[in-house]
mmCIF file with all atom_site columns, all heavy atoms in Angstrom:
data_model
loop_
_atom_site.group_PDB
_atom_site.id
_atom_site.type_symbol
_atom_site.label_atom_id
_atom_site.label_alt_id
_atom_site.label_comp_id
_atom_site.label_asym_id
_atom_site.label_entity_id
_atom_site.label_seq_id
_atom_site.pdbx_PDB_ins_code
_atom_site.Cartn_x
_atom_site.Cartn_y
_atom_site.Cartn_z
_atom_site.occupancy
_atom_site.B_iso_or_equiv
_atom_site.pdbx_formal_charge
_atom_site.auth_seq_id
_atom_site.auth_comp_id
_atom_site.auth_asym_id
_atom_site.auth_atom_id
_atom_site.pdbx_PDB_model_num
ATOM 1   N N   . VAL A 1 1  ? 0.832  -1.203 0.000   1.00 41.00 ? 11 VAL A N   1
ATOM 2   C CA  . VAL A 1 1  ? 0.000  0.000  0.000   1.00 41.00 ? 11 VAL A CA  1
ATOM 3   C C   . VAL A 1 1  ? 0.870  1.258  0.000   1.00 41.00 ? 11 VAL A C   1
ATOM 4   O O   . VAL A 1 1  ? 0.603  2.224  -0.726  1.00 41.00 ? 11 VAL A O   1
ATOM 5   C CB  . VAL A 1 1  ? -0.958 -0.004 1.208   1.00 41.00 ? 11 VAL A CB  1
ATOM 6   C CG1 . VAL A 1 1  ? -1.687 1.321  1.323   1.00 41.00 ? 11 VAL A CG1 1
ATOM 7   C CG2 . VAL A 1 1  ? -1.958 -1.142 1.083   1.00 41.00 ? 11 VAL A CG2 1
ATOM 8   N N   . VAL A 1 2  ? 1.938  1.256  0.819   1.00 40.00 ? 12 VAL A N   1
ATOM 9   C CA  . VAL A 1 2  ? 2.840  2.410  0.856   1.00 40.00 ? 12 VAL A CA  1
ATOM 10  C C   . VAL A 1 2  ? 3.460  2.645  -0.512  1.00 40.00 ? 12 VAL A C   1
ATOM 11  O O   . VAL A 1 2  ? 3.549  3.775  -1.000  1.00 40.00 ? 12 VAL A O   1
ATOM 12  C CB  . VAL A 1 2  ? 3.931  2.198  1.926   1.00 40.00 ? 12 VAL A CB  1
ATOM 13  C CG1 . VAL A 1 2  ? 4.990  3.294  1.826   1.00 40.00 ? 12 VAL A CG1 1
ATOM 14  C CG2 . VAL A 1 2  ? 3.312  2.186  3.312   1.00 40.00 ? 12 VAL A CG2 1
ATOM 15  N N   . ALA A 1 3  ? 3.881  1.553  -1.164  1.00 41.00 ? 13 ALA A N   1
ATOM 16  C CA  . ALA A 1 3  ? 4.469  1.690  -2.500  1.00 41.00 ? 13 ALA A CA  1
ATOM 17  C C   . ALA A 1 3  ? 3.459  2.266  -3.488  1.00 41.00 ? 13 ALA A C   1
ATOM 18  O O   . ALA A 1 3  ? 3.803  3.077  -4.350  1.00 41.00 ? 13 ALA A O   1
ATOM 19  C CB  . ALA A 1 3  ? 4.982  0.341  -2.995  1.00 41.00 ? 13 ALA A CB  1
ATOM 20  N N   . LEU A 1 4  ? 2.205  1.844  -3.366  1.00 39.00 ? 14 LEU A N   1
ATOM 21  C CA  . LEU A 1 4  ? 1.167  2.370  -4.248  1.00 39.00 ? 14 LEU A CA  1
ATOM 22  C C   . LEU A 1 4  ? 0.926  3.852  -4.002  1.00 39.00 ? 14 LEU A C   1
ATOM 23  O O   . LEU A 1 4  ? 0.692  4.628  -4.917  1.00 39.00 ? 14 LEU A O   1
ATOM 24  C CB  . LEU A 1 4  ? -0.134 1.582  -4.042  1.00 39.00 ? 14 LEU A CB  1
ATOM 25  C CG  . LEU A 1 4  ? -0.170 0.177  -4.642  1.00 39.00 ? 14 LEU A CG  1
ATOM 26  C CD1 . LEU A 1 4  ? -1.421 -0.546 -4.171  1.00 39.00 ? 14 LEU A CD1 1
ATOM 27  C CD2 . LEU A 1 4  ? -0.131 0.231  -6.163  1.00 39.00 ? 14 LEU A CD2 1
ATOM 28  N N   . LEU A 1 5  ? 0.989  4.258  -2.712  1.00 37.00 ? 15 LEU A N   1
ATOM 29  C CA  . LEU A 1 5  ? 0.724  5.646  -2.379  1.00 37.00 ? 15 LEU A CA  1
ATOM 30  C C   . LEU A 1 5  ? 1.813  6.579  -2.885  1.00 37.00 ? 15 LEU A C   1
ATOM 31  O O   . LEU A 1 5  ? 1.544  7.713  -3.268  1.00 37.00 ? 15 LEU A O   1
ATOM 32  C CB  . LEU A 1 5  ? 0.573  5.799  -0.854  1.00 37.00 ? 15 LEU A CB  1
ATOM 33  C CG  . LEU A 1 5  ? -0.697 5.185  -0.255  1.00 37.00 ? 15 LEU A CG  1
ATOM 34  C CD1 . LEU A 1 5  ? -0.667 5.315  1.259   1.00 37.00 ? 15 LEU A CD1 1
ATOM 35  C CD2 . LEU A 1 5  ? -1.952 5.847  -0.821  1.00 37.00 ? 15 LEU A CD2 1
ATOM 36  N N   . VAL A 1 6  ? 3.067  6.095  -2.884  1.00 37.00 ? 16 VAL A N   1
ATOM 37  C CA  . VAL A 1 6  ? 4.158  6.955  -3.335  1.00 37.00 ? 16 VAL A CA  1
ATOM 38  C C   . VAL A 1 6  ? 4.374  6.867  -4.830  1.00 37.00 ? 16 VAL A C   1
ATOM 39  O O   . VAL A 1 6  ? 5.186  7.595  -5.392  1.00 37.00 ? 16 VAL A O   1
ATOM 40  C CB  . VAL A 1 6  ? 5.481  6.610  -2.615  1.00 37.00 ? 16 VAL A CB  1
ATOM 41  C CG1 . VAL A 1 6  ? 5.328  6.762  -1.124  1.00 37.00 ? 16 VAL A CG1 1
ATOM 42  C CG2 . VAL A 1 6  ? 5.954  5.202  -2.966  1.00 37.00 ? 16 VAL A CG2 1
ATOM 43  N N   . ALA A 1 7  ? 3.653  5.994  -5.522  1.00 38.00 ? 17 ALA A N   1
ATOM 44  C CA  . ALA A 1 7  ? 3.833  5.855  -6.973  1.00 38.00 ? 17 ALA A CA  1
ATOM 45  C C   . ALA A 1 7  ? 3.343  7.118  -7.661  1.00 38.00 ? 17 ALA A C   1
ATOM 46  O O   . ALA A 1 7  ? 2.323  7.687  -7.289  1.00 38.00 ? 17 ALA A O   1
ATOM 47  C CB  . ALA A 1 7  ? 3.058  4.646  -7.490  1.00 38.00 ? 17 ALA A CB  1
ATOM 48  N N   . PRO A 1 8  ? 4.070  7.581  -8.668  1.00 36.00 ? 18 PRO A N   1
ATOM 49  C CA  . PRO A 1 8  ? 3.638  8.775  -9.391  1.00 36.00 ? 18 PRO A CA  1
ATOM 50  C C   . PRO A 1 8  ? 2.430  8.487  -10.269 1.00 36.00 ? 18 PRO A C   1
ATOM 51  O O   . PRO A 1 8  ? 2.284  7.389  -10.783 1.00 36.00 ? 18 PRO A O   1
ATOM 52  C CB  . PRO A 1 8  ? 4.865  9.124  -10.255 1.00 36.00 ? 18 PRO A CB  1
ATOM 53  C CG  . PRO A 1 8  ? 5.546  7.806  -10.462 1.00 36.00 ? 18 PRO A CG  1
ATOM 54  C CD  . PRO A 1 8  ? 5.302  7.012  -9.189  1.00 36.00 ? 18 PRO A CD  1
ATOM 55  N N   . ALA A 1 9  ? 1.570  9.482  -10.397 1.00 35.00 ? 19 ALA A N   1
ATOM 56  C CA  . ALA A 1 9  ? 0.389  9.325  -11.265 1.00 35.00 ? 19 ALA A CA  1
ATOM 57  C C   . ALA A 1 9  ? 0.741  9.823  -12.647 1.00 35.00 ? 19 ALA A C   1
ATOM 58  O O   . ALA A 1 9  ? 0.510  10.981 -12.999 1.00 35.00 ? 19 ALA A O   1
ATOM 59  C CB  . ALA A 1 9  ? -0.786 10.111 -10.689 1.00 35.00 ? 19 ALA A CB  1
ATOM 60  N N   . THR A 1 10 ? 1.353  8.970  -13.466 1.00 34.00 ? 20 THR A N   1
ATOM 61  C CA  . THR A 1 10 ? 1.767  9.371  -14.807 1.00 34.00 ? 20 THR A CA  1
ATOM 62  C C   . THR A 1 10 ? 0.789  8.846  -15.830 1.00 34.00 ? 20 THR A C   1
ATOM 63  O O   . THR A 1 10 ? 0.300  7.728  -15.722 1.00 34.00 ? 20 THR A O   1
ATOM 64  C CB  . THR A 1 10 ? 3.164  8.821  -15.124 1.00 34.00 ? 20 THR A CB  1
ATOM 65  O OG1 . THR A 1 10 ? 3.148  7.406  -14.912 1.00 34.00 ? 20 THR A OG1 1
ATOM 66  C CG2 . THR A 1 10 ? 4.215  9.450  -14.247 1.00 34.00 ? 20 THR A CG2 1
ATOM 67  N N   . PRO A 1 11 ? 0.476  9.610  -16.855 1.00 32.00 ? 21 PRO A N   1
ATOM 68  C CA  . PRO A 1 11 ? -0.443 9.153  -17.881 1.00 32.00 ? 21 PRO A CA  1
ATOM 69  C C   . PRO A 1 11 ? 0.192  8.076  -18.742 1.00 32.00 ? 21 PRO A C   1
ATOM 70  O O   . PRO A 1 11 ? 1.406  7.989  -18.862 1.00 32.00 ? 21 PRO A O   1
ATOM 71  C CB  . PRO A 1 11 ? -0.699 10.423 -18.707 1.00 32.00 ? 21 PRO A CB  1
ATOM 72  C CG  . PRO A 1 11 ? 0.506  11.266 -18.498 1.00 32.00 ? 21 PRO A CG  1
ATOM 73  C CD  . PRO A 1 11 ? 0.969  10.972 -17.098 1.00 32.00 ? 21 PRO A CD  1
ATOM 74  N N   . ALA A 1 12 ? -0.636 7.284  -19.394 1.00 33.00 ? 22 ALA A N   1
ATOM 75  C CA  . ALA A 1 12 ? -0.125 6.204  -20.230 1.00 33.00 ? 22 ALA A CA  1
ATOM 76  C C   . ALA A 1 12 ? 0.429  6.764  -21.530 1.00 33.00 ? 22 ALA A C   1
ATOM 77  O O   . ALA A 1 12 ? -0.111 7.683  -22.119 1.00 33.00 ? 22 ALA A O   1
ATOM 78  C CB  . ALA A 1 12 ? -1.236 5.209  -20.554 1.00 33.00 ? 22 ALA A CB  1
ATOM 79  N N   . SER A 1 13 ? 1.561  6.206  -21.946 1.00 35.00 ? 23 SER A N   1
ATOM 80  C CA  . SER A 1 13 ? 2.143  6.542  -23.231 1.00 35.00 ? 23 SER A CA  1
ATOM 81  C C   . SER A 1 13 ? 3.081  5.429  -23.621 1.00 35.00 ? 23 SER A C   1
ATOM 82  O O   . SER A 1 13 ? 3.296  4.503  -22.865 1.00 35.00 ? 23 SER A O   1
ATOM 83  C CB  . SER A 1 13 ? 2.901  7.877  -23.151 1.00 35.00 ? 23 SER A CB  1
ATOM 84  O OG  . SER A 1 13 ? 3.948  7.793  -22.221 1.00 35.00 ? 23 SER A OG  1
ATOM 85  N N   . ALA A 1 14 ? 3.682  5.518  -24.805 1.00 41.00 ? 24 ALA A N   1
ATOM 86  C CA  . ALA A 1 14 ? 4.528  4.417  -25.238 1.00 41.00 ? 24 ALA A CA  1
ATOM 87  C C   . ALA A 1 14 ? 5.567  4.880  -26.215 1.00 41.00 ? 24 ALA A C   1
ATOM 88  O O   . ALA A 1 14 ? 5.241  5.485  -27.229 1.00 41.00 ? 24 ALA A O   1
ATOM 89  C CB  . ALA A 1 14 ? 3.664  3.327  -25.881 1.00 41.00 ? 24 ALA A CB  1
ATOM 90  N N   . HIS A 1 15 ? 6.825  4.626  -25.900 1.00 58.00 ? 25 HIS A N   1
ATOM 91  C CA  . HIS A 1 15 ? 7.923  4.887  -26.814 1.00 58.00 ? 25 HIS A CA  1
ATOM 92  C C   . HIS A 1 15 ? 7.820  6.275  -27.423 1.00 58.00 ? 25 HIS A C   1
ATOM 93  O O   . HIS A 1 15 ? 7.632  6.446  -28.623 1.00 58.00 ? 25 HIS A O   1
ATOM 94  C CB  . HIS A 1 15 ? 7.963  3.812  -27.891 1.00 58.00 ? 25 HIS A CB  1
ATOM 95  C CG  . HIS A 1 15 ? 8.395  2.488  -27.349 1.00 58.00 ? 25 HIS A CG  1
ATOM 96  N ND1 . HIS A 1 15 ? 9.707  2.176  -27.102 1.00 58.00 ? 25 HIS A ND1 1
ATOM 97  C CD2 . HIS A 1 15 ? 7.691  1.409  -26.980 1.00 58.00 ? 25 HIS A CD2 1
ATOM 98  C CE1 . HIS A 1 15 ? 9.798  0.953  -26.616 1.00 58.00 ? 25 HIS A CE1 1
ATOM 99  N NE2 . HIS A 1 15 ? 8.586  0.479  -26.520 1.00 58.00 ? 25 HIS A NE2 1
ATOM 100 N N   . ALA A 1 16 ? 7.957  7.285  -26.573 1.00 68.00 ? 26 ALA A N   1
ATOM 101 C CA  . ALA A 1 16 ? 7.869  8.659  -27.054 1.00 68.00 ? 26 ALA A CA  1
ATOM 102 C C   . ALA A 1 16 ? 8.975  8.937  -28.064 1.00 68.00 ? 26 ALA A C   1
ATOM 103 O O   . ALA A 1 16 ? 10.083 8.422  -27.961 1.00 68.00 ? 26 ALA A O   1
ATOM 104 C CB  . ALA A 1 16 ? 7.990  9.621  -25.873 1.00 68.00 ? 26 ALA A CB  1
ATOM 105 N N   . VAL A 1 17 ? 8.670  9.761  -29.062 1.00 70.00 ? 27 VAL A N   1
ATOM 106 C CA  . VAL A 1 17 ? 9.648  10.183 -30.061 1.00 70.00 ? 27 VAL A CA  1
ATOM 107 C C   . VAL A 1 17 ? 9.613  11.701 -30.164 1.00 70.00 ? 27 VAL A C   1
ATOM 108 O O   . VAL A 1 17 ? 8.602  12.342 -29.893 1.00 70.00 ? 27 VAL A O   1
ATOM 109 C CB  . VAL A 1 17 ? 9.363  9.559  -31.442 1.00 70.00 ? 27 VAL A CB  1
ATOM 110 C CG1 . VAL A 1 17 ? 9.580  8.068  -31.403 1.00 70.00 ? 27 VAL A CG1 1
ATOM 111 C CG2 . VAL A 1 17 ? 7.953  9.872  -31.905 1.00 70.00 ? 27 VAL A CG2 1
ATOM 112 N N   . LEU A 1 18 ? 10.744 12.267 -30.531 1.00 77.00 ? 28 LEU A N   1
ATOM 113 C CA  . LEU A 1 18 ? 10.842 13.713 -30.671 1.00 77.00 ? 28 LEU A CA  1
ATOM 114 C C   . LEU A 1 18 ? 10.105 14.143 -31.935 1.00 77.00 ? 28 LEU A C   1
ATOM 115 O O   . LEU A 1 18 ? 10.416 13.696 -33.031 1.00 77.00 ? 28 LEU A O   1
ATOM 116 C CB  . LEU A 1 18 ? 12.311 14.125 -30.745 1.00 77.00 ? 28 LEU A CB  1
ATOM 117 C CG  . LEU A 1 18 ? 12.606 15.617 -30.742 1.00 77.00 ? 28 LEU A CG  1
ATOM 118 C CD1 . LEU A 1 18 ? 12.194 16.246 -29.414 1.00 77.00 ? 28 LEU A CD1 1
ATOM 119 C CD2 . LEU A 1 18 ? 14.090 15.859 -31.014 1.00 77.00 ? 28 LEU A CD2 1
ATOM 120 N N   . VAL A 1 19 ? 9.118  15.044 -31.776 1.00 78.00 ? 29 VAL A N   1
ATOM 121 C CA  . VAL A 1 19 ? 8.325  15.473 -32.929 1.00 78.00 ? 29 VAL A CA  1
ATOM 122 C C   . VAL A 1 19 ? 8.667  16.898 -33.379 1.00 78.00 ? 29 VAL A C   1
ATOM 123 O O   . VAL A 1 19 ? 8.450  17.240 -34.544 1.00 78.00 ? 29 VAL A O   1
ATOM 124 C CB  . VAL A 1 19 ? 6.814  15.366 -32.629 1.00 78.00 ? 29 VAL A CB  1
ATOM 125 C CG1 . VAL A 1 19 ? 6.409  13.927 -32.433 1.00 78.00 ? 29 VAL A CG1 1
ATOM 126 C CG2 . VAL A 1 19 ? 6.423  16.195 -31.403 1.00 78.00 ? 29 VAL A CG2 1
ATOM 127 N N   . SER A 1 20 ? 9.202  17.739 -32.482 1.00 79.00 ? 30 SER A N   1
ATOM 128 C CA  . SER A 1 20 ? 9.581  19.092 -32.892 1.00 79.00 ? 30 SER A CA  1
ATOM 129 C C   . SER A 1 20 ? 10.554 19.673 -31.877 1.00 79.00 ? 30 SER A C   1
ATOM 130 O O   . SER A 1 20 ? 10.634 19.219 -30.730 1.00 79.00 ? 30 SER A O   1
ATOM 131 C CB  . SER A 1 20 ? 8.347  20.004 -33.010 1.00 79.00 ? 30 SER A CB  1
ATOM 132 O OG  . SER A 1 20 ? 7.756  20.215 -31.745 1.00 79.00 ? 30 SER A OG  1
ATOM 133 N N   . THR A 1 21 ? 11.319 20.669 -32.332 1.00 84.00 ? 31 THR A N   1
ATOM 134 C CA  . THR A 1 21 ? 12.252 21.360 -31.448 1.00 84.00 ? 31 THR A CA  1
ATOM 135 C C   . THR A 1 21 ? 12.182 22.851 -31.726 1.00 84.00 ? 31 THR A C   1
ATOM 136 O O   . THR A 1 21 ? 11.760 23.292 -32.799 1.00 84.00 ? 31 THR A O   1
ATOM 137 C CB  . THR A 1 21 ? 13.701 20.883 -31.671 1.00 84.00 ? 31 THR A CB  1
ATOM 138 O OG1 . THR A 1 21 ? 14.119 21.244 -33.004 1.00 84.00 ? 31 THR A OG1 1
ATOM 139 C CG2 . THR A 1 21 ? 13.823 19.387 -31.485 1.00 84.00 ? 31 THR A CG2 1
ATOM 140 N N   . SER A 1 22 ? 12.596 23.633 -30.753 1.00 85.00 ? 32 SER A N   1
ATOM 141 C CA  . SER A 1 22 ? 12.739 25.072 -30.921 1.00 85.00 ? 32 SER A CA  1
ATOM 142 C C   . SER A 1 22 ? 14.050 25.492 -30.248 1.00 85.00 ? 32 SER A C   1
ATOM 143 O O   . SER A 1 22 ? 14.181 25.333 -29.036 1.00 85.00 ? 32 SER A O   1
ATOM 144 C CB  . SER A 1 22 ? 11.560 25.827 -30.285 1.00 85.00 ? 32 SER A CB  1
ATOM 145 O OG  . SER A 1 22 ? 11.746 27.231 -30.402 1.00 85.00 ? 32 SER A OG  1
ATOM 146 N N   . PRO A 1 23 ? 15.012 25.963 -31.032 1.00 86.00 ? 33 PRO A N   1
ATOM 147 C CA  . PRO A 1 23 ? 15.032 26.145 -32.483 1.00 86.00 ? 33 PRO A CA  1
ATOM 148 C C   . PRO A 1 23 ? 14.914 24.804 -33.210 1.00 86.00 ? 33 PRO A C   1
ATOM 149 O O   . PRO A 1 23 ? 15.264 23.770 -32.662 1.00 86.00 ? 33 PRO A O   1
ATOM 150 C CB  . PRO A 1 23 ? 16.408 26.774 -32.740 1.00 86.00 ? 33 PRO A CB  1
ATOM 151 C CG  . PRO A 1 23 ? 16.853 27.306 -31.420 1.00 86.00 ? 33 PRO A CG  1
ATOM 152 C CD  . PRO A 1 23 ? 16.276 26.386 -30.397 1.00 86.00 ? 33 PRO A CD  1
ATOM 153 N N   . THR A 1 24 ? 14.459 24.873 -34.462 1.00 81.00 ? 34 THR A N   1
ATOM 154 C CA  . THR A 1 24 ? 14.331 23.642 -35.232 1.00 81.00 ? 34 THR A CA  1
ATOM 155 C C   . THR A 1 24 ? 15.709 23.102 -35.589 1.00 81.00 ? 34 THR A C   1
ATOM 156 O O   . THR A 1 24 ? 16.702 23.841 -35.620 1.00 81.00 ? 34 THR A O   1
ATOM 157 C CB  . THR A 1 24 ? 13.536 23.890 -36.522 1.00 81.00 ? 34 THR A CB  1
ATOM 158 O OG1 . THR A 1 24 ? 14.196 24.910 -37.282 1.00 81.00 ? 34 THR A OG1 1
ATOM 159 C CG2 . THR A 1 24 ? 12.113 24.329 -36.197 1.00 81.00 ? 34 THR A CG2 1
ATOM 160 N N   . ALA A 1 25 ? 15.763 21.781 -35.843 1.00 76.00 ? 35 ALA A N   1
ATOM 161 C CA  . ALA A 1 25 ? 17.029 21.144 -36.175 1.00 76.00 ? 35 ALA A CA  1
ATOM 162 C C   . ALA A 1 25 ? 17.636 21.776 -37.418 1.00 76.00 ? 35 ALA A C   1
ATOM 163 O O   . ALA A 1 25 ? 16.939 22.040 -38.403 1.00 76.00 ? 35 ALA A O   1
ATOM 164 C CB  . ALA A 1 25 ? 16.815 19.649 -36.384 1.00 76.00 ? 35 ALA A CB  1
#
């Protein structure tokens, strides 16, 4: 229970990739 309470509430996602930068490449 303690481990569950300290777990971060992060949204689901998968294998993030870079889609844009500023300044652009």
Side-chain angles (χ1 to χ4, degrees):
V11 172
V12 171
L14 285 171
L15 290 176
V16 301
T20 54
S23 61
H25 290 281
V27 293
L28 186 65
V29 295
S30 66
T31 65
S32 177
T34 58

